[in-house]
Amino acid sequence: MDTIINAFFNIDIMRQAAPLLLKGAWVTLQLCAVVIVLGISGGLTLGLLASSKNAAVRLPAFLFIDFFRAIPPLILLILIYAGLPFIGIRVPPFVAVCIAFLLNNSAYFAEIFRSGIKSVSRGQTEAARASGLSPAQTQAFVILPQAVRNVLPDLLSNVVEIVKLTSIASVVSLTELLYSANMARAVTYNSSPLVMAALMYLVVLWPLVRVISRFQRGLSISS
Amino acid sequence: MDFGNVFLNPDIIATYMPQMIRAVWVTIWISVLVVISGLALGAFLAGLRAYQKRWLAWPIVLFADLMRALPPLVLMLILFFGLPSLGVILSDWFVLYLVLTLVLAAFVEEIFWATLTSLPRGQWEAGAATGLSFNQVLVNVIFPQAVRTNIPQLVNRSLTISKMTAYGSVIGVKEIVSVAGSAQAFSGSATPLTMAAIAYLIIFFPAMLLSRYVENRFQYDH
Amino acid sequence: MSAPQPLPTLEITALEKRFGDTQVLRSIDLKVANGELVFVIGPSGSGKSTMLRCCNRLEEPTSGAIHVNGKPMLGITRRDLDRMRLQVGMVFQGFFLYPHLSVLKNVTLAQRKALKRPAAEADARALEMLDKVGLKHKASAMPGELSGGQQQRVAIARALALDPKVMLFDEPTSALDPELVGSVLKVMRDLREGGMTMIVVSHEMQFAREAADRVVFMDGGVIVEQGTPSEIFGNPRSERLRAFLSRVSGEAA
Ligand SMILES: Nc1ncnc2c1ncn2[C@@H]1O[C@H](COP(=O)(O)OP(=O)(O)OP(=O)(O)O)[C@@H](O)[C@H]1O
Ligand SMILES: [Mg+2]
């Protein structure tokens, strides 16, 4: 028991590592704010394109979505961070992460928005158009609000996935939470900083995960 | 600067192809193992939870919450660097396999559980009324329906987590990313990275199309 | 000297059921003889479904006793309960066919798993029962492809295939479109001719007049009155029954 506490829950080491980890957590938070906004904007645009009646618009959108859903975000990130310098473009880690996340998250959000839009019945479009709304107004005021409501749990769980995913930024030496914790582990030869990072992720994500479970159950009962 | 020569240099491709093919196999077989054991474990846990015993349900919910809330990479680092200090040494690929299996199982458990609780009570009762035991109803009546309604979700989740085999590179599993990474460092060329991306496309792009097909095919008609 | 009383096929003795504070059934006594059709009527919430569901313990009685062919349903192991439930067939208002299994598989599942019948025998028995309800030609269809009336007849075949001693029907036609009710009632009538012991909760008063041996009127969790159809419908004694009948006939008119 003592060895377990010493190896994973060493308070002294955690106290030492705390300032570093808090700094890392702050970077993670900033990163999350940026990539979630980017992902939702990109995903919404792409989702609307993928819902288009015009195949010349729809098919490229689908291709983009499936392409970036097929590639693991980690290799995408490495390709951008380590690959671009070969053609003379050097980007800081934070920017590399943002680009990789934009491409990956947009594809995932787009799928969610698309299925939300699909879940709104055709009658809604027809009723809105019949009442004199333009196609853009119909989307903005009638279809999208309903679509978003229908896929709210999926949007939320994708946000959780993205927050977890920001931990891969450690691979390109961005000093976010996991990178800082792993640094501290290497310096102290003790895994407690990693456990501490895990606890920090939990503080934010556990409540969200609970909410998602509630959501899922509520939805499947009402349907 | 020659874009093609940087990202798709034929000599480099030829040099690293054999290693890359081996790495692809590693990725594929770890993925397959993870999917099989994750689905099985998740279904098993949801089944246990159906017994409505508090002392069973509680740890299962806790497990599912933790595995869904923690970044898999954090779990892998804790197991890989932490366990040796307890005298438990797990090989790199086993840590990767174990963590991804547990994560997939957590999601699968939640997916199944949502359905188990939402199937009409009449399905349970019809089974019980014909003399089927609780276990028999669970296995023959409830689970087949839960699988059917959730195939798109199960496929998507399995694919997402299979792609996380890329995290193995962080602890030294000789899968696609780690082979590409060291080849890139060694050769001083971006080509191995492109090869890695293409390898993933070859594996997962058809899988994406499959998941689209499955989604349309199993759209619920109720 | 009186002839020895034959053993009732189903015997409910001093049955009580409470949900928390609400007493839903109080001291219910009911004996159903072999081959008898007992028809149960009563206002909504009077406890008709609860009584039926207590008979195979889909609902757990608070106290009392249930016997099927003299054997107890209560105070037995889970194993024995599963076995006893085979003797009590149940048909629900909502059919509850298994949507993922074909019609034939719906009828063979419990035969195979609970009765442990060999596949060939279970198939043969299923086809025989499906024939009885007029749906042999639908054996390979999926439940979703059938009308409500057809689904309910499959549900009846599913219960019958287990050779139950008694069949319980809980509003078997209430969820059906009017034009489909007849086909289900016909199957029930055939069953009765065949000598099946049945308890039927239903609002089909015409069917009760023609087919029932005895009509039981429940209200507020007790059996208020029982008798032959002509006694109950032609000469109701209690005020509550009279009020109920006039309300029902008012709705029907
Ligand atoms: N699971 C339950 N928990 C609490 N109360 C219940 C439950 N099931 C039934 N009741 C109550 O028991 C009473 C009897 O219900 P029951 O379903 O047996 O009536 P019923 O005669 O079948 O009515 P109906 O004609 O509407 O089917 C009702 O007041 C009902 O609200
Ligand atoms: Mg009822």
Side-chain angles (χ1 to χ4, degrees):
Chain A
M1 196 64 211
D2 266 3
T3 29
I4 292 183
I5 288 178
N6 204 35
F8 294 102
F9 300 95
N10 190 317
I11 299 290
D12 281 343
I13 288 182
M14 284 189 179
R15 200 172 290 144
Q16 278 176 37
L20 189 62
L21 263 67
L22 283 174
K23 244 187 252 164
W26 176 235
V27 174
T28 291
L29 224 62
Q30 290 171 306
L31 186 59
C32 286
V34 175
V35 295
I36 289 170
V37 171
L38 283 178
I40 290 183
S41 324
L44 190 55
T45 313
L46 208 50
L48 283 169
L49 295 179
S51 305
S52 163
K53 277 206 274 307
N54 184 347
V57 176
R58 195 175 62 228
L59 293 182
F62 267 106
L63 195 66
F64 181 96
I65 292 172
D66 284 348
F67 185 88
F68 284 106
R69 285 202 312 160
I71 295 185
L74 182 59
I75 187 69
L76 194 58
L77 174 57
I78 296 177
L79 200 56
I80 290 169
Y81 182 71
L84 287 186
F86 284 98
I87 49 172
I89 308 174
R90 196 165 286 281
V91 288
F94 195 92
V95 176
V97 175
C98 287
I99 297 172
F101 274 53
L102 173 65
L103 296 172
N104 177 266
N105 299 352
S106 297
Y108 275 89
F109 272 124
E111 259 315 274
I112 297 172
F113 283 119
R114 192 185 65 83
S115 74
I117 292 168
K118 211 170 73 177
S119 74
V120 180
S121 76
R122 172 107 46 84
Q124 291 291 323
T125 312
E126 287 166 2
R129 299 284 283 118
S131 70
L133 295 183
S134 73
Q137 288 171 323
T138 301
Q139 282 295 344
F141 302 123
V142 179
I143 307 302
L144 276 181
Q146 299 184 59
V148 168
R149 184 145 35 92
N150 290 350
V151 293
L152 213 50
D154 292 339
L155 288 173
L156 190 56
S157 65
N158 202 43
V159 166
V160 171
E161 290 305 306
I162 291 175
V163 175
K164 291 192 285 177
L165 194 60
T166 56
S167 62
I168 68 170
S170 59
V171 172
V172 294
S173 312
L174 183 66
T175 53
E176 48 69 74
L177 180 54
L178 182 59
Y179 184 85
S180 311
N182 204 29
M183 273 287 259
R185 174 200 61 79
V187 173
T188 59
Y189 294 104
N190 186 293
S191 295
S192 301
L194 288 174
V195 173
M196 194 174 176
L199 293 175
M200 286 168 138
Y201 281 109
L202 278 186
V203 168
V204 177
L205 294 181
W206 198 346
L208 291 182
V209 162
R210 279 283 85 222
V211 170
I212 292 167
S213 283
R214 262 313 136 67
F215 250 141
Q216 274 173 338
R217 204 143 324 137
L219 279 190
S220 46
I221 285 170
S222 69
S223 70
Chain B
M1 161 144 2
D2 182 357
F3 197 86
N5 225 13
V6 173
F7 287 101
L8 282 170
N9 182 319
D11 293 339
I12 302 226
I13 291 178
T15 312
Y16 289 105
M17 193 51 114
Q19 280 187 45
M20 196 49 95
I21 287 176
R22 240 174 291 141
V24 165
W25 277 121
V26 172
T27 294
I28 288 180
W29 69 252
I30 294 184
S31 298
V32 169
L33 280 185
V34 163
V35 168
I36 292 173
S37 34
L39 289 175
L41 180 60
F44 176 74
L45 291 176
L48 275 188
R49 201 170 157 192
Y51 283 83
Q52 314 253 16
K53 296 269 185 291
R54 196 162 293 192
W55 56 269
L56 264 176
W58 210 83
I60 294 173
V61 174
L62 184 68
F63 164 78
D65 277 8
L66 290 182
M67 290 302 133
R68 289 181 307 150
L70 285 171
L73 206 47
V74 175
L75 288 168
M76 280 167 43
L77 292 184
I78 291 179
L79 288 192
F80 190 71
F81 292 115
L83 285 186
S85 48
L86 303 183
V88 182
I89 296 179
L90 302 177
S91 58
D92 46 25
W93 74 266
F94 188 77
V95 168
L96 178 64
Y97 160 78
L98 185 65
V99 166
L100 295 188
T101 295
L102 296 180
V103 171
L104 178 58
F107 280 101
V108 169
E109 188 276 331
E110 280 297 302
I111 291 171
F112 275 136
W113 179 247
T115 310
L116 294 193
T117 51
S118 66
L119 278 183
R121 203 158 63 117
Q123 290 294 322
W124 291 92
E125 295 187 342
T130 50
L132 295 173
S133 69
F134 185 87
N135 288 332
Q136 287 172 326
V137 176
L138 197 59
V139 170
N140 296 291
V141 176
I142 305 300
F143 256 112
Q145 296 186 54
V147 171
R148 197 156 297 221
T149 47
N150 289 312
I151 283 192
Q153 283 198 67
L154 294 172
V155 169
N156 278 336
R157 191 54 77 177
S158 298
L159 288 177
T160 306
I161 290 180
S162 294
K163 280 182 289 167
M164 291 180 186
T165 48
Y167 296 172
S169 57
V170 174
I171 53 174
V173 180
K174 292 270 166 278
E175 49 64 68
I176 298 173
V177 176
S178 100
V179 167
S182 46
Q184 178 241 326
F186 198 74
S187 67
S189 158
T191 298
L193 299 179
T194 319
M195 289 172 76
I198 292 173
Y200 279 113
L201 277 180
I202 291 172
I203 303 173
F204 286 108
F205 197 76
M208 287 299 141
L209 298 183
L210 170 81
S211 85
R212 281 204 188 285
Y213 166 77
V214 157
E215 207 155 311
N216 292 328
R217 170 80 218 287
F218 286 90
Q219 218 139 47
Y220 340 98
D221 36 14
H222 52 252
Chain C
M1 218 173 91
S2 61
Q5 279 271 257
L7 195 62
T9 299
L10 179 76
E11 182 171 19
I12 303 174
T13 321
L15 177 64
E16 305 265 339
K17 175 65 186 173
R18 263 192 299 275
F19 287 110
D21 288 340
T22 40
Q23 177 111 26
V24 175
L25 296 176
R26 44 190 105 214
S27 59
I28 301 276
D29 289 295
L30 187 66
K31 281 184 198 166
V32 183
N34 189 21
E36 192 182 18
L37 192 158
V38 172
F39 198 90
V40 182
I41 58 175
S44 181
S46 56
K48 308 179 296 290
S49 297
T50 307
M51 181 180 80
L52 282 197
R53 292 160 58 83
C54 280
C55 288
N56 61 3
R57 283 179 60 190
L58 286 181
E59 221 64 81
E60 215 45 65
T62 308
S63 66
I66 314 269
H67 287 86
V68 176
N69 267 354
K71 292 204 213 79
M73 283 294 286
L74 285 112
I76 56 179
T77 63
R78 279 240 67 95
R79 260 262 174 87
D80 288 338
L81 176 59
D82 291 336
R83 228 166 276 149
M84 285 299 286
R85 276 174 167 163
L86 288 168
Q87 319 226 348
V88 183
M90 178 121 189
V91 176
F92 302 85
Q93 180 175 348
F95 330 137
F96 301 132
L97 293 185
Y98 310 131
H100 62 295
L101 298 178
S102 70
V103 164
L104 186 73
K105 291 252 165 63
N106 262 276
V107 185
T108 53
L109 180 65
Q111 293 188 65
R112 304 277 313 276
K113 305 289 172 185
L115 272 182
K116 313 278 181 213
R117 274 189 189 143
E121 194 186 324
D123 283 354
R125 181 79 179 138
L127 287 172
E128 187 187 332
M129 290 301 124
L130 285 172
D131 198 24
K132 207 167 181 167
V133 301
L135 289 172
K136 196 175 177 180
H137 60 292
K138 292 288 186 189
S140 54
M142 296 305 279
E145 303 161 15
L146 303 183
S147 74
Q150 291 173 326
Q151 291 191 42
Q152 191 60 297
R153 281 142 66 197
V154 173
I156 293 174
R158 176 173 70 180
L160 285 177
L162 302 168
D163 306 320
K165 298 288 182 293
V166 54
M167 287 282 287
L168 311 176
F169 293 82
D170 190 2
E171 308 205 24
T173 58
S174 296
L176 299 179
D177 292 338
E179 74 270 19
L180 300 176
V181 169
S183 66
V184 173
L185 291 182
K186 177 181 178 304
V187 167
M188 292 167 63
R189 210 168 278 135
D190 291 347
L191 261 185
R192 174 183 167 42
E193 315 269 276
M196 176 59 74
T197 310
M198 299 157 77
I199 303 185
V200 181
V201 173
S202 166
H203 299 296
E204 299 292 334
M205 298 301 173
Q206 190 52 40
F207 177 77
R209 284 203 180 83
E210 294 164 15
D213 296 297
R214 185 155 43 118
V215 179
V216 168
F217 171 61
M218 289 180 69
D219 194 5
V222 296
I223 295 181
V224 177
E225 208 177 320
Q226 52 180 307
T228 61
S230 54
E231 283 168 359
I232 292 291
F233 296 120
N235 185 19
R237 278 166 290 155
S238 66
E239 188 50 47
R240 278 147 95 184
L241 175 54
R242 242 172 284 153
F244 173 73
L245 287 175
S246 71
R247 212 162 50 235
V248 173
S249 61
E251 272 164 28

